[in-house]
Amino acid sequence: MKLAVQEQLLPGRSLQEKFAFALDAGFDAIELRGKGDFHFAGRLTELKRARADGVVMPTVCVDMPHFIGDFDPAKRKDAIQQLRSQLTVIGELGGIGVMTPPPPGVSSPAGCPRSSRRAARRRTARCWPRRSASSASTPTATGC
């Protein structure tokens, strides 16, 4: 088993410094933070430099106030676009996927009318693809 620690929990100014600390603490990798507004894509040069220096970064965790299962169509559309961008970036780095936890306070559509709950499940199922053996090298989104 390999363990990763989220980058914002590590001391250090650069990913290289953070990775050195993570290794000393017994971790194998760093999980990157994927903020909204395409911030993660803007870090591509920094991330490629860190990878070239040996920093192991297999995943990125979405860090936005809304997510791909949001009930607001505009927020959901933005979250899907952000997720596509993050999957593209982590793929360029040789990573394996994106973690997509719901933002704080969003846990389920339980308070919604039955038809809205069904619609939310259908949307979520379409957005959270399952990984198959044939797509083992393709980065995927995973709900946690």
Side-chain angles (χ1 to χ4, degrees):
M1 174 173 60
K2 297 198 179 224
L3 296 174
V5 59
Q6 289 189 343
E7 67 176 301
Q8 78 278 7
L9 301 175
L10 296 167
R13 292 188 324 201
S14 69
L15 284 171
Q16 292 84 339
E17 289 176 6
K18 290 174 183 263
F19 186 59
F21 184 90
L23 289 176
D24 287 344
F27 292 95
D28 304 294
I30 294 177
E31 180 174 83
L32 299 169
R33 200 75 181 259
K35 296 179 184 174
D37 296 327
F38 300 97
H39 178 263
F40 190 62
R43 295 180 62 193
L44 189 56
T45 301
E46 168 204 359
L47 298 172
K48 283 183 174 181
R49 190 175 317 116
R51 183 186 68 177
D53 289 341
V55 177
V56 179
M57 307 165 287
T59 57
V60 58
C61 184
V62 175
D63 179 16
M64 295 192 317
H66 52 279
F67 79 124
I68 61 174
D70 202 294
F71 299 112
D72 178 290
K75 290 179 180 178
R76 185 173 54 253
K77 181 179 178 182
D78 178 66
I80 291 169
Q81 290 172 339
Q82 298 286 333
L83 181 61
R84 283 186 181 130
S85 173
Q86 291 170 0
L87 283 166
T88 299
V89 171
I90 202 69
E92 285 189 44
L93 298 172
I96 59 172
V98 173
M99 301 302 293
T100 59
V106 177
S107 58
S108 75
C112 298
R114 193 165 194 60
S115 60
S116 295
R117 286 196 310 259
R118 266 192 237 116
R121 280 194 300 270
R122 284 194 303 272
R123 281 194 303 272
T124 302
R126 281 196 309 267
C127 295
W128 290 13
R130 302 251 183 235
R131 184 178 225 169
S132 67
S134 63
S135 65
S137 64
T138 304
T140 60
T142 309
C144 50

